[in-house]
Amino acid sequence: MQKSVLILGACGQIGTELTLSLRERFGSETVIASDIREGAENLMSSGPFELLDATNYEAIEDVVMHYEIEEVYLMAAMLSATAEKFPMRAWNLNMNSLFNVLNLAKEKQIAKVFWPSSIAVFGPNTPDEKTPQNTIMEPSTVYGISKQAGERWCAYYHKKYDVDVRSIRYPGLISWKTMPGGGTTDYAIEIFHEAIANKTYSCFLKEDTKLPMMFMDDAIRATINLMSSDPKNISVRSSYNLSAMSFSPKEIAQKIKDQIPDFEITYDPDFRQAIADSWPKSIDDSRAREDWGWQPDFDLEATTREMLNNLS
Ligand code: SER
């Protein structure tokens, strides 16, 4: 029998595409989607769905027992910009959901866990070009602090209790199927929607703010590859650096202008500028390349093409 997997936070930006992709690969019935709210129609209609609060241990345990779940992907989280407004709620959600899943694995109720970390684990004292796997971190946002603490707990549960937990430090993820919610890199998606709808976009970051980014298809492929890798190839049990491209608002606006010549961008930086300024500009992901053969497919050119074609 095909193993069953559970996605917590399946209706979010990453969860939606991850669920659809896992269902395509492994069959609809063995990929259980869950979230505290219902999601997109194609997600809801393509396989089993459970209303589930990721902070409720007993509720997750019931679903795990019912479907004989072997792997959990924990995609529920509060992102960087929203977390600055609700620090304690962000900490509760981001940490308690992780402990729930790690403890289920510790108790041998599930065999494998995926948990996403982020470039937000880095801070203003981190070397910001080609940021190494192991370096000064010192995150300065609530979200980043929760991700860094989470990474340490993942490494701890692996070492101490032999929990098979795997993780990626995602850069900003660009996708067209589901909108992001409350992140600092969200501008790189909003800009496409606005360019198509209104031919103009007011950006909440300054024009030269360069950040690491990735097209969603690459992120999903990386996630599934990491989860299917032989454990002996996984040398990082905190979280892997992962990279595809880096660009600034000015650079992505230029690429859009190449396709939509009368598109105009203006800049009106807000509190998210300080968050972006504390994050790296580019990431060294050589460990992921060496350990499990990571290689991105989409650069800025290809991403722009995919976004404009699919949203138009
Ligand atoms: N994209 C996320 C954010 O902006 C970073 O992990 O919060």
Side-chain angles (χ1 to χ4, degrees):
M1 202 186 92
Q2 177 73 41
K3 62 176 189 294
S4 287
V5 310
L6 171 66
I7 297 104
L8 296 165
C11 298
Q13 187 203 5
I14 311 173
T16 300
E17 297 209 30
L18 179 66
T19 303
L20 295 172
S21 185
L22 288 168
R23 282 180 175 163
E24 224 165 76
R25 278 168 210 244
F26 303 119
S28 303
E29 290 314 306
T30 55
V31 178
I32 319 306
S34 75
D35 207 304
I36 44 165
R37 62 191 159 88
E38 297 198 346
E41 204 281 319
N42 54 350
L43 179 103
M44 301 303 296
S45 63
S46 59
F49 178 84
E50 295 284 339
L51 274 180
L52 195 50
D53 175 357
T55 63
N56 184 336
Y57 184 87
E58 282 76 32
I60 304 174
E61 194 179 30
D62 285 347
V63 171
V64 163
M65 306 281 261
H66 179 79
Y67 290 98
E68 298 178 25
I69 300 290
E70 281 183 42
E71 291 181 10
V72 173
Y73 294 76
L74 170 53
M75 313 313 283
M78 195 184 289
L79 294 189
S80 60
T82 314
E84 290 303 296
K85 295 180 181 155
F86 308 105
M88 290 299 111
R89 265 170 59 191
W91 181 259
N92 280 338
L93 171 60
N94 295 0
M95 301 313 296
N96 291 340
S97 59
L98 177 59
F99 280 123
N100 286 345
V101 172
L102 289 177
N103 285 328
L104 281 169
K106 179 188 164 193
E107 300 305 327
K108 308 287 173 219
Q109 309 252 45
I110 53 175
K112 218 190 265 186
V113 173
F114 179 81
W115 173 78
S117 185
S118 161
I119 54 166
V121 291
F122 300 116
N125 296 323
T126 303
D128 68 357
E129 287 285 2
K130 290 247 151 241
T131 300
Q133 175 68 41
N134 298 310
T135 186
I136 299 170
M137 297 172 89
E138 302 182 5
S140 57
T141 62
V142 173
Y143 176 68
I145 296 169
S146 77
K147 288 297 183 187
Q148 195 195 9
E151 286 192 7
R152 299 326 310 153
W153 280 113
C154 288
Y156 183 89
Y157 269 69
H158 175 71
K159 191 160 180 244
K160 190 98 181 179
Y161 308 121
D162 200 25
V163 164
D164 189 353
V165 54
R166 305 171 182 208
S167 177
I168 287 171
R169 290 170 182 155
Y170 290 131
L173 298 182
I174 304 174
S175 64
W176 53 271
K177 287 184 187 152
T178 315
M179 289 300 273
T184 301
T185 56
D186 296 9
Y187 91 85
I189 297 164
E190 289 172 12
I191 194 170
F192 288 105
H193 289 266
E194 292 299 312
I196 290 166
N198 304 316
K199 295 198 169 28
T200 167
Y201 178 61
S202 170
C203 185
F204 57 76
L205 297 181
K206 290 186 202 156
E207 62 176 13
D208 290 324
T209 313
K210 195 172 133 193
L211 288 169
M213 300 277 186
M214 182 176 288
F215 189 55
M216 185 62 86
D217 292 33
D218 271 340
I220 300 296
R221 193 167 48 80
T223 305
I224 295 174
N225 284 353
L226 173 61
M227 285 298 273
S228 53
S229 291
D230 190 322
K232 74 175 194 306
N233 295 332
I234 299 175
S235 67
V236 175
R237 291 295 185 161
S238 51
S239 189
Y240 277 97
N241 274 11
L242 201 72
S243 164
M245 61 184 131
S246 289
F247 58 78
S248 64
K250 192 172 159 186
E251 286 164 334
I252 192 173
Q254 188 50 53
K255 283 278 178 249
I256 295 174
K257 249 170 133 50
D258 293 346
Q259 308 293 317
I260 307 176
D262 49 348
F263 170 65
E264 292 294 342
I265 183 166
T266 56
Y267 301 94
D268 187 13
D270 66 13
F271 73 102
R272 289 169 281 193
Q273 184 64 45
I275 301 177
D277 287 342
S278 77
W279 290 352
K281 296 181 168 62
S282 63
I283 298 287
D284 176 353
D285 63 357
S286 41
R287 280 291 273 283
R289 290 172 190 252
E290 283 157 24
D291 285 4
W292 41 278
W294 163 244
Q295 190 87 54
D297 281 344
F298 292 84
D299 58 10
L300 177 56
E301 185 95 27
T303 300
T304 306
R305 199 173 48 236
E306 287 292 315
M307 289 299 285
L308 291 176
N309 285 347
N310 285 294
L311 291 174
S312 289

